[in-house]
Amino acid sequence: MLSFNKKIVTDEAMRPVAVLIDYQDWQKIEQLLEAYQLQQKQEFNLNQYAGVIQLTQDPLEYQQQMRDE
């Protein structure tokens, strides 16, 4: 885990309300988040789940049956 200089801002009751960090640290965090999000988008593919579930009943009929109960 990366280490960042941070300052915790509290209210009158000493409850944390904000965190202050250096702008350079914020830019590093944004770059890491962007890279992670791109990686997640590339790895997620719905087509790999196509045909996995074999249904014995029409989904709309099942939904209507559940609502009628």
Side-chain angles (χ1 to χ4, degrees):
M1 177 168 254
L2 297 175
S3 175
F4 296 108
N5 268 343
K6 57 189 172 274
K7 179 180 178 184
I8 299 174
V9 179
T10 57
D11 62 7
E12 296 83 17
M14 298 305 292
R15 293 179 296 214
V17 293
V19 178
L20 300 176
I21 61 173
D22 291 336
Y23 184 69
Q24 292 82 9
D25 292 340
W26 176 252
Q27 287 180 322
K28 289 179 190 175
I29 292 169
E30 282 190 332
Q31 287 175 350
L32 291 171
L33 287 172
E34 185 177 333
Y36 178 76
Q37 289 173 346
L38 286 175
Q39 180 184 10
Q40 292 299 318
K41 285 181 183 179
Q42 292 172 355
E43 290 180 4
F44 188 71
N45 183 6
L46 284 177
N47 290 332
Q48 66 186 356
Y49 300 107
V52 172
I53 298 176
Q54 302 299 324
L55 302 175
T56 58
Q57 186 178 2
D58 181 56
L60 294 177
E61 290 176 8
Y62 178 78
Q63 181 182 30
Q64 187 64 43
Q65 178 186 353
M66 289 293 110
R67 288 182 176 176
D68 289 341
E69 289 182 359

